[in-house]
């Protein structure tokens, strides 16, 4: 193994050649991978006392990568899901390195063998129809900001767009004629079209008549004409949810984020009897399996299924009696 194999050169080629030129990945992917390696190199400076440009491939062995992942969870408070996301970026880099530096194949195999961490999958959180209506009624529509916020939240709750898709909408992405819809570019840079309800169409029609802020092209700009950031949308949503608490007390027990509005749109479709495959297309899911999470969260559907079951007959339950020492041991676990 050549200890002089410099990581800086490999990282530069990984981003410029593999990710940007060969795979042409999205800006979001580039940003996520960049953040992963920034954290990794900061960890290396503390643990190995070496600057990032001085690191060799031998420094990034499986033991070091494992310590970095543990540090993310223990010291930085990262969830298992975030830990796995960072590991995905590292694996992608080492798969690239396996072709560039085959002499280091043993080290690379050990890093690639680091498993993802299992974690609990939380139930999908969503808002009921009265809660959605309370949030939509909260903005003060006598002001420009209030009208913007109301229209933004209405479009979010009806279309189920992701936050990045919502803030990335331009004015020309809205079609208000026959078959009113919005066009967006989602994950994997896949373009999709989402239809609008009459209410959303009317709200957008009125919103597009508002005077432009400093020549803004964004559908929902900030006061300076630029695009809203993710933090700005979360902040304005939180403000209106706090106002909505007064008329809808059930909101106090819920943590409402822009993604909860996306879940709420999916649950509205599910309650209306729309098939999961159609909902997957509506939300831009890669697989219908992702959409199955809404079925698990829909208590009314489960209760309806339970009502169709024939109840058990009353009788004495027979307890399993192991006839082997090993089986008896397993019963204690």
């Amino acid at each position: 193994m050549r200890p002089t194999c410099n990581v800086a050169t490999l990282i530069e080629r990984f981003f410029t050649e593999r990710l940007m030129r060969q795979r042409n990945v999205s800006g979001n992917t580039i940003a996520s991978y960049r953040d992963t390696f920034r954290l990794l190199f900061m960890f290396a400076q503390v643990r190995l006392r070496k600057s990032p440009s001085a690191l060799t491939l031998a420094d990034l062995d499986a033991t070091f990568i494992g310590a970095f992942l543990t540090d993310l969870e223990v010291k930085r408070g990262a969830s298992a899901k975030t830990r796995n996301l960072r590991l995905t970026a590292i694996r992608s880099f080492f798969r690239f390195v396996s072709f560039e530096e085959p002499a280091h194949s043993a080290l690379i195999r050990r890093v690639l063998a680091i498993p993802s961490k299992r974690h609990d999958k939380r139930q999908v959180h969503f808002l009921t129809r009265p809660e959605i209506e309370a949030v939509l009624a909260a903005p003060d529509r006598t002001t420009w900001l209030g009208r913007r916020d109301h229209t933004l939240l209405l479009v979010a709750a009806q279309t189920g767009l992701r936050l990045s898709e919502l803030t990335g909408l331009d004015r020309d992405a809205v079609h208000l004629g026959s078959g009113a819809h919005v066009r967006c570019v989602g994950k994997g840079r896949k373009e999709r079209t989402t239809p609008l309800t009459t209410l959303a169409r009317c709200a957008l029609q009125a919103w597009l008549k508002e005077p432009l802020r400093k020549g803004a092209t964004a559908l929902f700009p900030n006061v300076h004409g630029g695009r809203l950031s993710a933090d700005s949308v979360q902040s304005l949503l939180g403000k209106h949810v706090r106002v909505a608490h007064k008329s809808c007390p059930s909101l106090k027990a819920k943590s409402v984020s822009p993604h909860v509005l996306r879940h709420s749109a999916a649950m509205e479709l599910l309650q209306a009897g729309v098939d999961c495959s159609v909902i997957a297309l509506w939300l831009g899911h890669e697989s219908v399996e992702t959409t199955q999470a809404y079925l698990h969260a829909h208590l009314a559907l489960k209760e309806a299924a339970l009502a169709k079951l024939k109840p058990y007959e009353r009788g004495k339950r027979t307890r399993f009696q192991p006839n082997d020492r090993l089986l008896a041991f397993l019963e204690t676990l």
Side-chain angles (χ1 to χ4, degrees), residues 17-323:
E17 294 183 22
R18 173 57 64 87
L19 297 182
M20 296 179 180
R21 188 172 63 83
Q22 296 176 359
R23 295 188 60 198
N24 195 24
V25 301
S26 69
N28 289 335
T29 301
I30 293 291
S32 176
Y33 281 28
R34 176 204 62 205
D35 292 345
T36 295
F37 286 102
R38 182 182 291 162
L39 290 170
L40 181 67
F41 296 148
M42 287 168 58
F43 177 73
Q45 282 184 301
V46 174
R47 188 179 181 90
L48 304 178
R49 301 185 183 279
K50 296 178 72 172
S51 65
S53 57
L55 290 172
T56 65
L57 198 58
D59 294 321
L60 307 185
D61 59 12
T63 302
F64 174 80
I65 298 298
F68 166 66
L69 296 173
T70 300
D71 183 78
L72 285 178
E73 293 184 278
V74 176
K75 293 186 179 179
R76 299 186 66 89
S79 65
K81 189 174 180 180
T82 300
R83 179 249 192 212
N84 292 342
L85 184 66
R86 302 302 183 197
L87 179 57
T88 297
I90 292 169
R91 283 174 176 165
S92 182
F93 169 66
F94 274 89
R95 280 193 290 269
F96 166 75
V97 173
S98 67
F99 294 101
E100 297 290 312
E101 298 290 339
H104 295 76
S105 59
L107 180 149
I108 294 166
R109 282 200 305 271
R110 284 192 289 272
V111 172
L112 293 177
I114 297 174
S116 296
K117 196 167 191 176
R118 295 291 185 107
H119 57 89
D120 295 334
K121 294 183 180 179
R122 295 182 298 175
Q123 185 169 288
V124 169
H125 296 287
F126 62 96
L127 302 184
T128 62
R129 176 62 69 89
E131 291 168 342
I132 295 172
E133 291 174 348
V135 172
L136 293 179
D140 177 9
R141 279 178 270 175
T142 62
T143 67
W144 181 86
L145 283 175
R147 292 190 293 274
R148 181 203 65 185
D149 293 356
H150 170 77
T151 310
L152 184 152
L153 295 175
L154 176 59
V155 171
Q158 189 255 293
T159 61
L161 294 180
R162 298 179 179 92
L163 179 54
S164 60
E165 296 167 349
L166 194 65
T167 56
L169 287 176
D170 287 326
R171 294 172 66 88
D172 59 8
V174 181
H175 175 74
L176 297 176
S178 178
H181 63 268
V182 292
R183 297 186 313 276
C184 74
V185 178
K187 275 189 176 181
R189 288 180 300 181
K190 291 181 294 186
E191 186 175 307
R192 75 178 188 279
T193 300
T194 306
L196 296 169
T197 61
T198 302
L199 182 63
R201 182 178 64 81
C202 292
L204 281 169
Q205 201 165 35
W207 172 245
L208 289 172
K209 292 178 182 178
E210 295 274 349
L212 287 177
R213 287 292 176 109
K214 299 181 181 180
T217 59
L219 179 60
F220 301 114
N222 58 31
V223 291
H224 304 294
R227 293 194 184 276
L228 286 170
S229 66
D231 288 340
S232 297
V233 177
Q234 179 62 69
S235 177
L236 70 86
L237 175 59
K239 178 180 69 174
H240 297 310
V241 168
R242 286 190 292 274
V243 173
H245 284 171
K246 300 173 185 177
S247 60
C248 189
S250 63
L251 282 168
K252 294 181 181 179
K254 294 189 175 182
S255 176
V256 184
S257 68
H259 213 69
V260 168
L261 296 181
R262 175 172 164 84
H263 293 327
S264 303
M267 295 303 286
E268 287 275 311
L269 292 170
L270 190 62
Q271 289 168 357
V274 179
D275 187 79
C276 273
S277 60
V278 177
I279 298 175
L281 290 172
W282 185 292
L283 298 179
H285 284 165
E286 186 73 26
S287 169
V288 180
E289 291 181 7
T290 307
T291 317
Q292 298 294 330
Y294 298 113
L295 285 173
H296 293 294
H298 200 306
L299 185 59
L301 287 179
K302 294 178 180 179
E303 290 174 341
L306 182 63
K308 296 178 181 178
L309 294 178
K310 182 180 178 181
Y312 291 117
E313 294 181 5
R314 292 183 179 180
K316 187 177 180 181
R317 183 174 174 230
T318 304
R319 180 178 175 83
F320 173 67
Q321 297 293 333
N323 58 2

